[in-house]
C-alpha cells in the first residue's frame, strides 16, 4: 500500500469491498499535502456527494489529529501511510502545521462529484458557451412532464404523420406503458446518443446493415416468391395426407387452407404450424417402417427431405421476421425518442434551464470543441494531482471527458499524477449508465500513458469468510469478470452467514378494482391496491437479524 500513497507516482488500485479504498484515497491526500503540494492543485472526484463529504470529513479529522496528538501517535500515523520512521520524524513539524495551512489556503483541495466538477468546468468556460445563463434543475420529472405534453400536441398536429405513426407502432408493439419506459430510457441516455451522432438516418442505416434488413419489410414477399416453393408445398401436402394421427391430419388441413390465404403474414402463421414447434424449432419427423409402408421407400425419403428443407426455410423466415420487427421497433423508438428529446430541449432552452445530463454533454463539448485548448490550459495550470474514487461507477461519457483532458498532453509535457481506485465487482449504478468495464479500460490507459502502477487488494476487513466464499463462487463463474481473483477475509474467525429467501408474494387482500366500482363516491373514498412487498421484506430481514445477532457460531 505504501506504493499507492507515493505522491510521485500515478497509481491504479483495484480493491475489493472492505479493503480500505476510502482510507487509501484520504491517506493519499495527506501524503500530497505533506509533500508540499498546494491544496489548490489537488482535484478529488468521487461518485456521490455523500462519498465526497465522507472524504472531506475524514481529511479534516486526520488534519486535526496531526495537529494535536502527541509525537508518538503522529509518527505512527505517518508510518501507517508508507513513511519510514526517519521520514515520519523529519515530516513531523510539517504535519503539525497542515491543519492551519489547509484552513488558511486561498483555495482548499477540490473534493467533489463528477457533476460538481462539470459545474466548475462550465463556470470557467467562455461566456459565449451554449450553457451561459442557464440554471441547473435538480428534479428532472417536471421537465419530462412538459416534454411529454409537448410531444402529444405535436403528434396530434397536421403534417406530423411520421411521428404519430411511430407512436402508434410503438403502442401496438409493446404497449403504452412499455413505450413510455422505452422513450424515458432514451432520454436518460441521451448523452450517449448526442455523443454518437444524434442523426436518425445514420443510425438506422447502420442498424439495417447489422440486421441485414430493408427499410420496409420484404421477408414474407421474398419467401413466398421463391421458385418452386408452391410446388414443394403441394408435394409435401400430398405426402402428409397419407400420414396417420390426429395431429398430422390437423396439420394437413392447415397447410391446405394456407394456399387460399391472400394475407402473407396469416398464411405463414398457418403454414409454420405444419413444420415448426411453438418454440419455432423444426418438428421432429423421422423415417420409420410404418412411414415406409404408407409412403413407399421413395415417398418416405422424399417426405423427410421436403420436411427438412421446408422447416429450415420456415426457421430462417421466422428469424428474418424477428429482425424486421426489431428494426421497425427501433425505427419507431428513435423517431419518437428524438422528437421527445427535441421537445425537452426546446422547453429547457425557452426557460434557460439545464439538468445533470446536460452538464455531461456540455462538458464533453467544451473539452472536445473549439474552446478545448483554452479550458485544458486552465485545467493544466490548476491541477497537478487527480484522485478518482469509486471509478467502477463511471459512465462512458464521464470517462470520455477525462480522456479528452488527458489526451491533450503532448509528448514530453509534464502530466498530472493520477490516483484511481475502484472495484468493478461493486458497480451498482448501471441504472445511471455506469459501465464497470470502463475501470479496466481506464486502468490500461493510465498504465500506458501515465506510467501508472497497478495495485490489487483482495483482502477484505469487512466481510466474514462465509460471505467471501459466496462472493468467490459467484464471480468466478461470471464471464464478464474473466480473470477474477479470489478474495480473502482478514478476520478469519469472524462469524457470518449467507441466506437466500424466497420472493415475497404480493398481498392479495387489498382493495380491488371491483370494490371501486361498487362504492358511493360521495361518501366512500377510493381505495387503491398497495404493494407491501418491500415493507414485508424489510420486516422479515429485521426479524431474522434479531435472531442471529449474538447467536451466530464462528464461520457457520
Amino acid at each position: 500500500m505504501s506504493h499507492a500513497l507515493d505522491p510521485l507516482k500515478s497509481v491504479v488500485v483495484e480493491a475489493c469491498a472492505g479493503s480500505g479504498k476510502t482510507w487509501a484515497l484520504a491517506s493519499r491526500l495527506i501524503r500530497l499535502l505533506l509533500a508540499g503540494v498546494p491544496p489548490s492543485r489537488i482535484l478529488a472526484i468521487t461518485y456521490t456527494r455523500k462519498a465526497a463529504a465522507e472524504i472531506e470529513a475524514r481529511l479534516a479529522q486526520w488534519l486535526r489529529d496531526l495537529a494535536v496528538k502527541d509525537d508518538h501517535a503522529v509518527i505512527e500515523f505517518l508510518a501507517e501511510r508508507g513513511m519510514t520512521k526517519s521520514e515520519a520524524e523529519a515530516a513531523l513539524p510539517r504535519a503539525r502545521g497542515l491543519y492551519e495551512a489547509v484552513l488558511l489556503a486561498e483555495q482548499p483541495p477540490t473534493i467533489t462529484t463528477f457533476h460538481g466538477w462539470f459545474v466548475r468546468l462550465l463556470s470557467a468556460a467562455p461566456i459565449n458557451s451554449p450553457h451561459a445563463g442557464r440554471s441547473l434543475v435538480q428534479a428532472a420529472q417536471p421537465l419530462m412532464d412538459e416534454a411529454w405534453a409537448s410531444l402529444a400536441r405535436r403528434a396530434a398536429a397536421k403534417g406530423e404523420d411520421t411521428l404519430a405513426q411511430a407512436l402508434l407502432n410503438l403502442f401496438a408493439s409493446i404497449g403504452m406503458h412499455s413505450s413510455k419506459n422505452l422513450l424515458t430510457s432514451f432520454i436518460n441516455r441521451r448523452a450517449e446518443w448526442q455523443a454518437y451522432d444524434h442523426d436518425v438516418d445514420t443510425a438506422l442505416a447502420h442498424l439495417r446493415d447489422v440486421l441485414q434488413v430493408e427499410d420496409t419489410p420484404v421477408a414474407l414477399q421474398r419467401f413466398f416468391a421463391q421458385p418452386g416453393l408452391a410446388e414443394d408445398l403441394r408435394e409435401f401436402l400430398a405426402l402428409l395426407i397419407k400420414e396417420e394421427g390426429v395431429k398430422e391430419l390437423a396439420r394437413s388441413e392447415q397447410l391446405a387452407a394456407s394456399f387460399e390465404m391472400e394475407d402473407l403474414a396469416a398464411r405463414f402463421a398457418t403454414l409454420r404450424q405444419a413444420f415448426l414447434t411453438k418454440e419455432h424449432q423444426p418438428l421432429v419427423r423421422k423415417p420409420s417402417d410404418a412411414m415406409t409402408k404408407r409412403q413407399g421407400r421413395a415417398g418416405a425419403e422424399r417426405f423427410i427431405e421436403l420436411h427438412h428443407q421446408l422447416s429450415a426455410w420456415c426457421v430462417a423466415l421466422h428469424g428474418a421476421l424477428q429482425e424486421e420487427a426489431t428494426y421497425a421497433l427501433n425505427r419507431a423508438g428513435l423517431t419518437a425518442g428524438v422528437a421527445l428529446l427535441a421537445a425537452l430541449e426546446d422547453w429547457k432552452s425557452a426557460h434557460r434551464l439545464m439538468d445533470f445530463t446536460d452538464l455531461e454533454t456540455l462538458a464533453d463539448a467544451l473539452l472536445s470543441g473549439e474552446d478545448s485548448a483554452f479550458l485544458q490550459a486552465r485545467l493544466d495550470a490548476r491541477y497537478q494531482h487527480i484522485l478518482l474514487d469509486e471509478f467502477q461507477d463511471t459512465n462512458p461519457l464521464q470517462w470520455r471527458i477525462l480522456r479528452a483532458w488527458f489526451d491533450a498532453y503532448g509528448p514530453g509535457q509534464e502530466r498530472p499524477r493520477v490516483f484511481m481506485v475502484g472495484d468493478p465487482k461493486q458497480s451498482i449504478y448501471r441504472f445511471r449508465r455506469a459501465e464497470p468495464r470502463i475501470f479496466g479500460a481506464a486502468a490500461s490507459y493510465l498504465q500506458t500513458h501515465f506510467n501508472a502502477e497497478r495495485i490489487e487488494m483482495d483482502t477484505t476487513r469487512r466481510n466474514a469468510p462465509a460471505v467471501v466464499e459466496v462472493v468467490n463462487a459467484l464471480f468466478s463463474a461470471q464471464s464478464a469478470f474473466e480473470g477474477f481473483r479470489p478474495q480473502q477475509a482478514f478476520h478469519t474467525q469472524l462469524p457470518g452467514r449467507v441466506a437466500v429467501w424466497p420472493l415475497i408474494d404480493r398481498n392479495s387482500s387489498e382493495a380491488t378494482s371491483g370494490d371501486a366500482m361498487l362504492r358511493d363516491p360521495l361518501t366512500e373514498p377510493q381505495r387503491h391496491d398497495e404493494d407491501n412487498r418491500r415493507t414485508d421484506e424489510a420486516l422479515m430481514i429485521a426479524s431474522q437479524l434479531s435472531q442471529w445477532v449474538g447467536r451466530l457460531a464462528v464461520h457457520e
Side-chain angles (χ1 to χ4, degrees):
M1 177 56 73
S2 59
H3 294 295
L5 306 183
D6 187 343
L8 299 179
K9 294 182 178 180
S10 289
V11 178
V12 174
V13 179
E14 183 177 349
C16 65
S19 58
K21 292 189 292 294
T22 302
W23 180 94
L25 189 140
S27 295
R28 173 94 175 194
L29 282 169
I30 292 289
R31 288 290 304 271
L32 291 175
L33 295 170
L34 279 171
V37 177
S40 62
R41 307 301 298 276
I42 300 172
L43 170 64
I45 302 175
T46 188
Y47 196 75
T48 64
R49 284 179 288 184
K50 180 180 178 182
E54 180 182 350
I55 293 170
E56 285 183 324
R58 185 173 297 198
L59 177 62
Q61 181 60 54
W62 285 354
L63 291 175
R64 284 193 292 269
D65 290 343
L66 291 174
V68 301
K69 287 193 173 182
D70 61 61
D71 289 354
H72 176 75
V74 172
I75 291 173
E76 185 177 354
F77 176 96
L78 298 179
E80 290 173 352
R81 285 152 182 80
M83 302 182 77
T84 65
K85 183 177 180 181
S86 59
E87 289 173 338
E89 291 173 346
L92 185 59
R94 180 165 182 81
R96 294 293 193 193
L98 282 183
Y99 188 41
E100 180 182 7
V102 173
L103 283 178
L104 298 179
E106 185 175 347
Q107 292 180 323
T110 302
I111 303 175
T112 185
T113 63
F114 266 107
H115 290 123
W117 181 52
F118 295 154
V119 169
R120 293 170 184 263
L121 285 179
L122 299 182
S123 66
I127 59 174
N128 61 348
S129 298
H131 74 284
R134 293 199 178 194
S135 301
L136 180 63
V137 176
Q138 300 284 340
Q141 189 56 48
L143 297 179
M144 285 299 300
D145 292 341
E146 294 292 345
W148 279 112
S150 177
L151 181 71
R153 289 192 297 269
R154 178 183 164 188
K158 291 183 179 180
E160 292 291 350
D161 295 343
T162 301
L163 173 58
Q165 190 60 52
L167 288 170
L168 291 174
N169 289 344
L170 276 181
F171 297 158
S173 298
I174 58 177
M176 184 174 294
H177 179 73
S178 294
S179 296
K180 190 169 184 179
N181 287 341
L182 176 67
L183 297 181
T184 299
S185 178
F186 177 82
I187 294 299
N188 291 338
R189 301 188 71 92
R190 67 186 186 273
E192 283 84 349
W193 168 251
Q194 291 166 335
Y196 162 71
D197 194 4
H198 55 275
D199 180 84
V200 175
D201 292 337
T202 302
L204 290 178
H206 175 69
L207 188 59
R208 288 195 297 271
D209 289 340
V210 172
L211 298 176
Q212 293 295 296
V213 299
E214 304 291 336
D215 193 49
T216 56
V218 296
L220 282 169
Q221 291 88 338
R222 288 176 176 173
F223 177 82
F224 286 106
Q226 293 179 94
L229 174 64
E231 291 77 7
D232 287 345
L233 286 172
R234 292 187 184 280
E235 183 182 359
F236 181 82
L237 175 60
L239 296 170
L240 181 62
I241 291 173
K242 296 179 182 181
E243 289 300 294
E244 297 178 350
V246 176
K247 290 184 178 181
E248 296 292 48
L249 176 61
R251 288 166 182 154
S252 65
E253 292 175 348
Q254 292 166 345
L255 182 56
S258 70
F259 288 103
E260 308 301 324
M261 296 179 178
E262 296 184 1
D263 182 271
L264 297 184
R267 185 177 178 185
F268 177 63
T270 303
L271 179 66
R272 67 184 177 186
Q273 295 182 47
F275 297 99
L276 305 182
T277 66
K278 292 182 180 179
E279 291 75 30
H280 312 294
Q281 297 300 315
L283 290 169
V284 177
R285 285 193 173 102
K286 298 180 179 179
S288 64
D289 292 340
M291 180 185 293
T292 302
K293 184 177 181 180
R294 290 189 297 270
Q295 307 276 9
R297 181 174 301 280
E301 291 177 353
R302 180 58 175 165
F303 180 68
I304 297 300
E305 178 187 359
L306 284 171
H307 169 70
H308 288 323
Q309 174 184 311
L310 293 169
S311 60
W313 286 356
C314 288
V315 169
L317 176 56
H318 173 73
L321 292 175
Q322 291 293 99
E323 301 286 33
E324 288 184 341
T326 298
Y327 175 75
L329 178 64
N330 278 272
R331 181 176 59 185
L334 281 174
T335 301
V338 168
L340 180 61
L341 177 57
L344 177 64
E345 296 301 328
D346 288 344
W347 176 265
K348 289 188 298 184
S349 178
H351 294 80
R352 308 301 299 162
L353 301 173
M354 63 178 176
D355 58 19
F356 287 112
T357 301
D358 294 325
L359 285 176
E360 294 181 359
T361 304
L362 291 168
D364 178 57
L366 284 172
L367 282 173
S368 58
E370 295 179 357
D371 298 321
S372 60
F374 165 80
L375 194 58
Q376 287 163 352
R378 294 197 62 171
L379 288 171
D380 297 345
R382 175 74 190 273
Y383 299 117
Q384 288 179 321
H385 294 269
I386 304 164
L387 296 85
L388 304 170
D389 188 29
E390 302 291 359
F391 204 75
Q392 74 277 355
D393 289 318
T394 303
N395 69 48
L397 192 56
Q398 290 168 344
W399 171 230
R400 173 171 143 149
I401 293 167
L402 282 171
R403 275 285 305 267
W405 178 13
F406 294 162
D407 285 344
Y409 287 95
Q413 188 176 1
E414 185 178 357
R415 301 169 185 265
R417 303 290 187 270
V418 181
F419 177 84
M420 187 179 85
V421 62
D423 179 16
K425 301 185 297 301
Q426 295 184 67
S427 182
I428 60 173
Y429 286 100
R430 295 298 291 268
F431 63 95
R432 293 185 183 176
R433 310 180 354 260
E435 174 49 69
R437 290 176 296 180
I438 289 177
F439 185 91
S444 298
Y445 174 88
L446 292 174
Q447 285 178 286
T448 301
H449 299 279
F450 283 72
N451 197 30
E453 181 177 344
R454 190 160 183 173
I455 297 174
E456 296 162 347
M457 298 166 54
D458 301 315
T459 300
T460 174
R461 294 174 176 268
R462 179 187 306 162
N463 295 330
V467 176
V468 171
E469 288 174 6
V470 173
V471 170
N472 289 338
L474 288 175
F475 281 98
S476 61
Q478 294 295 318
S479 58
F481 293 91
E482 185 178 352
F484 167 75
R485 302 181 310 278
Q487 299 179 14
Q488 300 86 35
F490 181 81
H491 301 288
T492 57
Q493 299 302 312
L494 191 66
R497 181 174 180 178
V498 177
V500 178
W501 292 312
L503 296 176
I504 298 175
D505 294 330
R506 183 164 183 166
N507 190 343
S508 60
S509 63
E510 300 294 334
T512 65
S513 57
D515 295 330
M517 294 174 63
L518 300 176
R519 71 185 177 88
D520 181 350
L522 298 178
T523 60
E524 184 179 349
Q526 184 176 3
R527 300 175 62 192
H528 297 279
D529 289 343
E530 185 176 357
D531 187 351
N532 294 317
R533 285 176 293 178
R534 291 186 182 276
T535 302
D536 293 342
E537 181 182 49
L539 291 173
M540 181 178 67
I541 292 174
S543 175
Q544 183 65 77
L545 289 176
S546 67
Q547 296 177 34
W548 284 347
V549 172
R551 300 181 178 87
L552 201 59
V554 172
H555 195 15
E556 186 175 335

